[in-house]
Amino acid sequence: MESLDPEDLASESLMVFVISTYTDGQPPNNAKFFCNWLKEAVSDWRVHDNYLRKLRYTLFWSWKQHL
């Protein structure tokens, strides 16, 4: 995910994300920037509501929980 620039997503039509987590569901180091960008983009006035409207995606997010 280090090579993925979130601003390039608008030019994509299909993405498949497979992300593992650790420590209470936190993203791994190589996905932190991307996940933070997505969270911040929701309230960023520079990112329009329809920015990712053409993007179709699926997400597989796995985690390990210690009981």
Side-chain angles (χ1 to χ4, degrees):
M1 292 199 73
E2 295 97 352
S3 63
L4 178 63
D5 185 350
E7 295 183 10
D8 291 340
L9 289 176
S11 64
E12 299 292 335
S13 60
L14 178 65
M15 295 290 294
V16 176
F17 298 97
V18 179
I19 301 174
S20 64
T21 64
Y22 61 96
T23 314
D24 297 324
Q26 297 300 313
N29 290 336
N30 67 344
K32 282 183 181 180
F33 174 79
F34 180 75
C35 291
N36 287 335
W37 184 91
L38 286 176
K39 281 193 265 183
E40 293 172 4
V42 171
S43 60
D44 190 335
W45 61 270
R46 296 169 295 178
V47 180
H48 299 286
D49 292 344
N50 62 359
Y51 182 71
L52 298 176
R53 75 169 184 240
K54 294 181 182 178
L55 178 65
R56 301 291 184 244
Y57 66 92
T58 188
L59 170 67
F60 178 76
W61 191 285
S62 67
W63 69 91
K64 182 176 182 180
Q65 182 177 13
H66 297 282
L67 299 176

